[in-house]
């Protein structure tokens, strides 16, 4: 069985319950638990998770970079590392344009430049206790003689970038310690991703061996396999709303289905949208079934590079079912 990670993106689930899930995954042998920024910001849940556990890695995957300043994010990362040295990782991403502009009122402009400069500033601030006051003059960000006041040595937090498109994947290979490659992929798209990451890494005299690769995988575990597949359908419907994931569907031969699903979602015809998700799509893009069935399905990823990140988006389902899926998923790493 490969190494496993999990991602919690929950809305109404109390923080205490989320920490209990992280403990369950830790006891099950999971490498890392990520918190995504969707309905909650991730810093408070990550703090609670780090304080409530002792060995499992905890990270953001991802924190959105548009509504915040990189100096503040670097301060947060340094303090999370102070709470649990060596267990925290910082995942940064652009987010979806309609979310950035609608929720935060920030223009979604120059994404590659913003991601590059953001990572530069975070790294500079984290290194400032040893390298001295950090100064940076970019096209989007500027910093003058800033030094972390509460750290005596450089803070060594891995910085990961979420990267789905070709240019972003190349940038991640160049500037990041690792990459989160998205929630939909196949052997063919993974080969393309590795080539882009390799080109970016080469710009800095690095290789793919210098990068940690995380790939999200929709996973629905239940004592009722039919219910597990129904929840998988809902996660795949949710992903079809996003243009970059529709492109992956299309590349794998499901262009018509993905466009139909997205159109039905826009029309709020959710039941019809779910019926458009075929069994072949579930088999290609998700893990779904009982613990034994999911463990067997995971074996097809044994040759993939990196670590699968099991996730289940609480889209049109009770979060109690999502919680139960993760409790059962904790058995998969054993």
């Amino acid at each position: 069985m490969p190494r496993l990670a999990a991602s919690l993106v929950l809305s109404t689930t109390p923080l205490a319950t989320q920490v209990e899930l992280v403990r369950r995954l830790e006891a099950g042998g999971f490498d890392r638990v990520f918190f995504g920024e969707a309905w909650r910001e991730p810093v408070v849940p990550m703090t609670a998770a780090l304080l409530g556990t002792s060995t499992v890695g905890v990270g953001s995957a991802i924190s959105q970079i548009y509504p915040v300043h990189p100096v503040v994010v670097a301060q947060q990362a340094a303090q999370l590392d102070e709470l649990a040295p060596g267990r925290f990782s910082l995942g940064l991403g652009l987010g979806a344009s309609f979310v950035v502009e609608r929720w935060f009122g920030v223009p979604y402009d120059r994404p590659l430049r913003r991601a590059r400069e953001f990572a530069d500033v975070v790294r500079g601030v984290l290194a400032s206790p040893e390298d001295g006051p950090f100064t940076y003059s970019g096209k989007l960000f500027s910093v003058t003689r800033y030094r972390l006041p509460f750290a005596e040595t450089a803070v060594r937090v891995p910085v990961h970038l979420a990267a789905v498109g070709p240019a972003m994947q190349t940038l991640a290979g160049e500037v990041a310690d690792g990459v989160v490659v998205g929630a939909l992929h196949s052997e063919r798209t993974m080969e393309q991703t590795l080539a882009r990451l390799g080109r970016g890494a080469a710009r800095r005299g690095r290789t793919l061996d210098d990068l940690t690769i995380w790939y999200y995988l929709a996973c629905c575990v239940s004592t009722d396999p039919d219910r597990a597949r129904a929840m998988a359908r809902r996660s795949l419907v949710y992903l079809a709303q996003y243009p970059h994931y529709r492109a992956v569907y299309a590349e794998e031969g499901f262009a018509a289905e993905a466009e139909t699903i997205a159109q039905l979602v826009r029309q709020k015809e959710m039941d019809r949208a779910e019926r458009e998700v075929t069994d072949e799509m579930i088999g290609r893009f998700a893990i779904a079934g009982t613990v034994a069935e999911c463990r067997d399905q995971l074996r097809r990823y044994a040759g993939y590079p990196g670590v699968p990140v099991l996730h289940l988006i609480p889209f049109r389902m009770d979060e109690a079912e999502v919680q139960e899926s993760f409790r059962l998923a904790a058995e998969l790493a054993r």
Side-chain angles (χ1 to χ4, degrees):
M1 187 58 59
R3 295 164 54 199
L4 290 177
S7 173
L8 301 182
V9 184
L10 296 164
S11 173
T12 60
T13 299
L15 283 177
T17 303
Q18 296 194 40
V19 173
E20 181 269 323
L21 290 175
V22 178
R23 289 197 192 104
R24 181 73 65 95
L25 293 163
E26 177 183 54
F30 273 61
D31 266 26
R32 186 165 297 270
V33 178
F34 291 107
F35 288 84
E37 183 173 359
W39 299 283
R40 288 178 183 250
E41 65 80 42
V43 174
V44 172
M46 291 189 297
T47 302
L50 287 168
L51 290 174
T53 57
S54 58
T55 60
V56 70
V58 172
S60 56
I62 50 87
S63 295
Q64 298 187 55
I65 66 174
Y66 272 94
V68 291
H69 194 281
V71 171
V72 175
V73 171
Q75 291 174 345
Q76 293 168 338
Q79 292 177 97
L80 288 164
D81 184 71
E82 182 182 349
L83 284 179
R87 288 205 286 139
F88 174 68
S89 61
L90 175 64
L92 303 172
L94 300 172
S97 59
F98 69 89
V99 171
V100 170
E101 294 177 351
R102 186 185 307 163
W103 287 9
F104 305 123
V106 179
Y108 193 87
D109 59 355
R110 308 185 73 177
L112 289 173
R113 169 56 59 182
R114 182 172 293 268
R116 178 185 291 277
E117 292 192 11
F118 205 103
D120 286 346
V121 173
V122 167
R123 288 191 183 284
V125 170
L126 293 177
S128 65
E130 290 183 13
D131 293 353
F134 174 66
T135 295
Y136 186 85
S137 180
K139 296 183 183 301
L140 299 176
F141 296 107
S142 62
V143 181
T144 302
R145 297 187 58 78
Y146 180 84
R147 184 191 184 282
L148 276 176
F150 52 84
E152 296 182 357
T153 61
V155 181
R156 309 196 186 283
V157 168
V159 177
H160 304 142
L161 284 183
V164 176
M168 193 67 177
Q169 289 178 350
T170 303
L171 177 66
E174 181 181 353
V175 306
D177 299 303
V179 60
V180 181
V181 299
L184 289 176
H185 34 71
S186 66
E187 291 184 6
R188 179 171 56 183
T189 58
M190 187 61 77
E191 287 177 4
Q192 295 169 345
T193 295
L194 293 178
R196 296 161 186 158
L197 292 172
R199 285 196 294 271
R203 293 176 181 174
R204 290 283 178 94
R206 304 192 301 170
T207 69
L208 286 174
D209 291 337
D210 298 310
L211 297 171
T212 302
I213 299 171
W214 309 93
Y215 59 93
Y216 270 48
L217 186 60
C219 179
C220 314
V221 192
S222 174
T223 56
D224 179 351
D226 291 334
R227 182 58 186 164
R229 284 186 282 272
M231 291 194 290
R233 279 190 172 84
R234 293 181 176 182
S235 280
L236 296 182
V237 166
Y238 178 87
L239 294 173
Q241 298 176 89
Y242 295 90
H244 48 280
Y245 288 134
R246 287 202 298 277
V248 177
Y249 280 131
E251 194 162 343
E252 288 302 302
F254 299 102
E257 292 90 339
E259 288 300 327
T260 299
I261 292 167
Q263 182 177 358
L264 289 170
V265 170
R266 287 192 292 270
Q267 296 170 354
K268 302 190 183 305
E269 296 278 356
M270 299 303 186
D271 292 338
R272 290 179 59 195
E274 286 179 30
R275 290 195 292 270
E276 293 294 324
V277 178
T278 66
D279 290 341
E280 186 180 1
M281 292 173 72
I282 295 174
R284 183 77 62 89
F285 297 116
I287 299 294
T290 64
V291 170
E293 289 171 335
C294 289
R295 187 178 287 123
D296 185 59
Q297 293 168 37
L298 275 168
R299 291 192 174 93
R300 71 175 182 259
Y301 294 93
Y304 263 49
V307 182
V309 181
L310 308 184
H311 77 110
L312 180 57
I313 300 166
F315 178 66
R316 300 191 74 224
M317 65 183 78
D318 193 312
E319 288 197 11
E321 289 187 285
V322 179
Q323 296 166 26
E324 183 61 17
S325 178
F326 278 113
R327 292 188 183 101
L328 292 170
E331 301 178 29
L332 294 174
R334 293 180 175 147

